[in-house]
Amino acid sequence: MKRLSIALLAAAGMTAALAQGFPTKPITFVVPFSAGGPTDRVARDLAEAMRKQLNDVTIVIDNAAGAGSSIGTAKVARAPADGYTLLLTHIGMSTMPALYKSLPFKVESDFDYLGLVNDVPMTLIARPSLEANNYAELSKWITANKGKINLGNAGLGSASQLCGLLLDSAIKADMTPVPYKGTAPAISDLIGGQIDLLCDQTTNTSGQIEAKKVKAYAVTTAQRLKTPLLKDLPTLQESGLKGFEVTIWHGLYGPKGLPADVATKINTALKSALKDPDFIKKQEGLGAVVVTDNRQEPTAHKAFVAAEIAKWTPIIKAAGVSAD
Ligand code: ASP
């Protein structure tokens, strides 16, 4: 008995010592979408800002893309809970449970929530050769081409899929969803004219809109954006799609069971990154809004995701979309 308690004490002491030194080796941020896309971009900028607070260790980005983010998310659920493998992902955490008949993880119980990072609007964009020059013209074009339109997305569970789903159920154009492993390959194909439309985050569409490589028609937020480049784009609501609103967000997670001091260190590093002027400037330049409210805290982050699950589940179920 005595020997057991000494062993337990020693183990507890070792964990505390490990946490004190944390991190002593590179940390991996698993990004469940392809490199060069919006989630990847947020992860890379965040990693740069957070490593300053984490003994300057390297933060490696692992793009475990596919199946609308469920592959990379599952990878982190199965990883050792030591703080060295984390997940940077988006709204898919709250839409996947309704979209997939079965998932190899439970969003509510298989992760430690480490804080929300940002809120990001989306934009409705098209291939550059599409003849419509504003939303009214696009709407006419959609009606004329009903059943023949290819709408890209980053897989079932991605934000672009959610946005496309809402769009198609609002305008009933019977569009064909074309899934990719992330926004980066979807935008390349949009620019090349292989697909017609895409609804995706401003973090990646802004640059393409500015370079006139794609056409932009509307934003998905309830209000117009303030970013100079996008401020003249109408909202989908004012364009006639009543109640249409999608704002996506990114958050940081670890596998369930992180040592408490490791989780605190990671959350503290996240919160100082969210105050880092360089990080804020980069995010604002891309139309994203860095979280300043209490969703930076694990408990509020978890409550927010639970509220998002409750919000999106009935909408997704009503749209009748699901996968195995
Ligand atoms: N923006 C993508 C999505 O539609 C994912 C990505 O490539 O970051 O969810």
Side-chain angles (χ1 to χ4, degrees):
M1 180 70 184
K2 197 170 168 200
R3 214 180 299 147
L4 183 67
S5 43
I6 291 169
L8 284 175
L9 277 174
M14 264 171 62
T15 312
L18 279 178
Q20 250 168 40
F22 177 86
T24 54
K25 59 177 187 181
I27 293 173
T28 298
F29 278 5
V30 174
V31 171
F33 292 104
S34 52
T39 314
D40 179 70
R41 182 156 212 162
V42 173
R44 285 173 200 272
D45 289 349
L46 184 69
E48 195 48 43
M50 277 181 69
R51 66 188 290 259
K52 298 179 201 161
Q53 312 298 325
L54 293 169
N55 306 339
D56 253 330
V57 291
T58 302
I59 299 183
V60 179
I61 305 293
D62 171 12
N63 296 96
S69 79
S70 59
I71 292 174
T73 306
K75 188 172 181 179
V76 176
R78 288 192 304 264
D82 55 9
Y84 288 100
T85 308
L86 303 175
L87 172 72
L88 189 289
T89 192
H90 68 10
I91 194 169
M93 277 305 248
S94 68
T95 56
M96 275 188 297
L99 288 165
Y100 285 84
K101 287 198 188 90
S102 68
L103 282 171
F105 52 81
K106 288 198 175 60
V107 169
E108 294 92 341
S109 53
D110 287 347
F111 299 92
D112 278 345
Y113 289 61
L114 296 166
L116 210 73
V117 179
N118 61 10
D119 294 297
V120 194
M122 301 185 88
T123 43
L124 178 61
I125 57 174
R127 59 178 159 82
S129 52
L130 205 144
E131 54 263 33
N133 287 319
N134 53 46
Y135 187 81
E137 290 177 17
L138 179 72
S139 182
K140 280 192 196 135
W141 180 85
I142 288 176
T143 310
N145 289 281
K146 198 170 168 184
K148 291 187 278 185
I149 300 166
N150 288 323
L151 172 67
N153 71 48
L156 198 70
S158 65
S160 42
Q161 187 262 340
L162 175 69
C163 185
L165 177 79
L166 297 178
L167 187 70
D168 206 20
S169 50
I171 56 184
K172 310 219 170 358
D174 198 13
M175 300 193 221
T176 306
V178 183
Y180 292 84
K181 286 189 173 179
T183 296
I187 288 200
S188 299
D189 268 13
L190 189 74
I191 293 171
Q194 282 86 357
I195 52 172
D196 302 305
L197 293 174
L198 177 69
C199 179
D200 221 303
Q201 284 108 292
T202 55
T203 34
N204 270 61
T205 60
S206 302
Q208 309 297 354
I209 294 169
E210 190 166 24
K212 301 205 176 356
K213 289 193 173 157
V214 296
K215 284 194 169 173
Y217 298 103
V219 292
T220 63
T221 39
Q223 313 292 336
R224 286 190 182 206
L225 303 181
K226 296 204 171 72
T227 329
L229 173 74
L230 306 172
K231 70 177 181 6
D232 294 329
L233 284 182
T235 65
L236 281 170
Q237 287 197 26
E238 70 182 90
S239 306
L241 302 188
K242 250 185 148 199
F244 194 107
E245 187 187 354
V246 194
T247 298
I248 79 114
W249 38 267
H250 294 93
L252 190 63
Y253 309 79
K256 185 78 194 162
L258 295 179
D261 353 9
V262 169
T264 303
K265 272 198 179 177
I266 297 168
N267 174 252
T268 305
L270 170 68
K271 285 188 290 195
S272 43
L274 300 183
K275 289 196 191 75
D276 180 327
D278 282 350
F279 180 68
I280 295 173
K281 202 168 156 215
K282 276 188 201 159
Q283 292 292 297
E284 283 177 354
L286 297 167
V289 182
V290 170
V291 168
T292 52
D293 55 55
N294 73 341
R295 293 173 302 159
Q296 292 183 348
E297 301 294 344
T299 315
H301 174 194
K302 192 166 184 181
F304 173 72
V305 175
E308 286 281 283
I309 293 175
K311 171 181 166 182
W312 291 114
T313 300
I315 297 172
I316 292 166
K317 297 270 186 226
V321 192
S322 72
D324 293 333

